[in-house]
Amino acid sequence: MPYRDHAPGPVRGPGAPSTRAGTTASPGRPRIAALDVLRGFTLCEILLANIQLIANGDRAVTTQPMGDWDPWLGLPIFSLLFGIGFSLLLDSAANRVPRPRLVLLRRLLALLAIGLAHSLLWRGEILTSYAVVGLLVLLPSTWLPRWAVAGLAPALVAAALIGGGGGGPLMIAGLFLLGSALVRYGMIEKIERSTRGPLLLGLAFAAGAASALWARNGAGAPSFTSSLADLLLAGVYVCTLLVLLRTPLRPALAALFAPLGRMALTNYLTATLLVLAASRILGLPIGRSLTAAYAAAGVILAAQWLFATLWLRRHRQGPVEWLWRWVTWAHRSALRIPANRAH
């Protein structure tokens, strides 16, 4: 069964790049700006959640970061986005190479290598888990029909919540599959054109999150209500951003978050280096002071935004993203934008 089961292949007019077996001349699909904005926004939350833990060398599962505020909304959103990106890339690879799953296998193995190297700096990093879950769950799921993937996704999420592993492999796997199902049912292709859908879904998520938080404070509440509330709140954030992107705020949101999102992997890795440098070389009390943690996070994000904005004026991708793409396709693509097209 072909992977691209949600829509027919693209219609190619005269002069379009060939997609004969063995060729890789076809250009990639246009970037979906909303996904870049979501990645950039989530990257900010992840840094806020991790910065004190990185500075202290603690695992994310053992310490409550940032005092009483719990910014753990980044994990479910990033996991969903990873599943979406995986399936979009496999969709593209199916039109470009005769063995598209081999492309994704190389991509996941490269991510595993990056994650293992990153774990030498910080034990709580997530890339290794993403690569392993991708290899064990996401890649094999591409042989399943889309209805099976759509059914497995909520089952795994529910199992993770009931089992108390709100941020563990089962949750990651379920959100990976949910992102894949959204692609395979054609929902991501409509993400830039819909306002009513995200608005209604966001209201439903908000009602569910409020109910879960109310139940959490009651006697005899199930232990998973807090994780369920966090998961639904993450859905509210996603839907709110999607709605705002359909308003006059879109240019501002794109300018603020899209550069960070387009270089999400580079920024995720360099944030660890910058936090460690600030805490261990400069001696800033990031792990002990909320003020220092907030200030350091703000400076790091501002520096990363500036670097990403300037870098992307003359380069197609971030430096780590370019290397990752090189391994993925086993072909070195051009990194710099030609001078006559740079802006």
Side-chain angles (χ1 to χ4, degrees):
M1 183 191 73
Y3 173 75
R4 189 178 174 87
D5 56 359
H6 67 273
V11 177
R12 302 186 180 277
S18 169
T19 56
R20 297 190 305 270
T23 64
T24 58
S26 173
R29 68 167 67 232
R31 296 192 68 89
I32 300 175
L35 298 182
D36 287 330
V37 171
L38 285 171
R39 286 190 191 96
F41 170 80
T42 307
L43 194 73
C44 297
E45 285 198 326
I46 288 175
L47 179 58
L48 288 172
N50 290 340
I51 187 167
Q52 288 189 304
L53 303 171
I54 296 172
N56 290 331
D58 293 329
R59 282 186 176 274
V61 295
T62 61
T63 306
Q64 177 76 7
M66 306 299 277
D68 294 329
W69 182 49
D70 185 9
W72 287 109
L73 306 178
L75 177 64
I77 300 174
F78 229 48
S79 299
L80 180 70
L81 291 171
F82 188 90
I84 291 172
F86 181 94
S87 292
L88 287 175
L89 183 58
L90 186 54
D91 222 16
S92 177
N95 291 323
R96 299 176 61 178
V97 295
R99 301 174 66 186
R101 290 178 180 87
L102 181 59
V103 172
L104 272 298
L105 175 61
R106 289 196 297 263
R107 188 168 185 82
L108 290 170
L109 290 175
L111 185 66
L112 178 61
I114 294 171
L116 290 173
H118 188 217
S119 68
L120 298 177
L121 297 175
W122 180 46
R123 295 178 301 162
E125 70 91 32
I126 198 63
L127 301 180
T128 304
S129 297
Y130 274 23
V132 171
V133 174
L135 288 167
L136 296 179
V137 177
L138 194 51
L139 185 56
S141 75
T142 62
W143 277 278
L144 297 176
R146 63 183 184 177
W147 61 264
V149 174
L152 278 173
L156 290 173
V157 170
L161 290 171
I162 294 172
L170 276 180
M171 177 63 72
I172 292 172
L175 293 170
F176 277 6
L177 294 182
L178 178 58
S180 178
L182 290 175
V183 174
R184 296 177 70 172
Y185 275 95
M187 302 303 295
I188 300 303
E189 295 177 355
K190 304 173 184 177
I191 197 172
E192 296 275 23
R193 304 193 300 268
S194 174
T195 302
R196 182 181 178 184
L199 178 60
L200 295 176
L201 192 59
L203 291 173
F205 284 150
S211 299
L213 290 172
W214 177 81
R216 184 184 65 180
N217 297 326
S223 59
F224 61 81
T225 52
S226 181
S227 295
L228 176 61
D230 286 345
L231 188 62
L232 292 171
L233 191 57
V236 173
Y237 274 58
V238 170
C239 292
T240 299
L241 274 174
L242 292 179
V243 171
L244 291 176
L245 286 172
R246 298 283 293 168
T247 71
L249 290 175
R250 178 185 177 93
L253 291 171
L256 182 60
F257 293 118
L260 293 171
R262 288 183 61 185
M263 291 175 50
L265 182 57
T266 295
N267 290 327
Y268 177 74
L269 296 172
T270 55
T272 300
L273 294 173
L274 292 172
V275 172
L276 291 175
S279 61
R280 299 183 184 180
I281 298 176
L282 299 180
L284 299 181
I286 294 173
R288 304 184 304 275
S289 167
L290 285 177
T291 301
Y294 283 123
V299 171
I300 289 171
L301 288 171
Q304 289 184 328
W305 176 87
L306 181 60
F307 176 75
T309 300
L310 296 176
W311 176 272
L312 291 171
R313 289 181 179 179
R314 298 190 177 277
H315 301 84
R316 303 175 192 275
Q317 294 177 294
V320 182
E321 286 78 7
W322 176 73
L323 290 171
W324 196 20
R325 179 183 177 88
W326 185 351
V327 176
T328 296
W329 294 100
H331 172 75
R332 186 176 65 179
S333 61
L335 176 60
R336 290 187 63 88
I337 299 174
N340 59 345
R341 293 179 56 192
H343 56 83

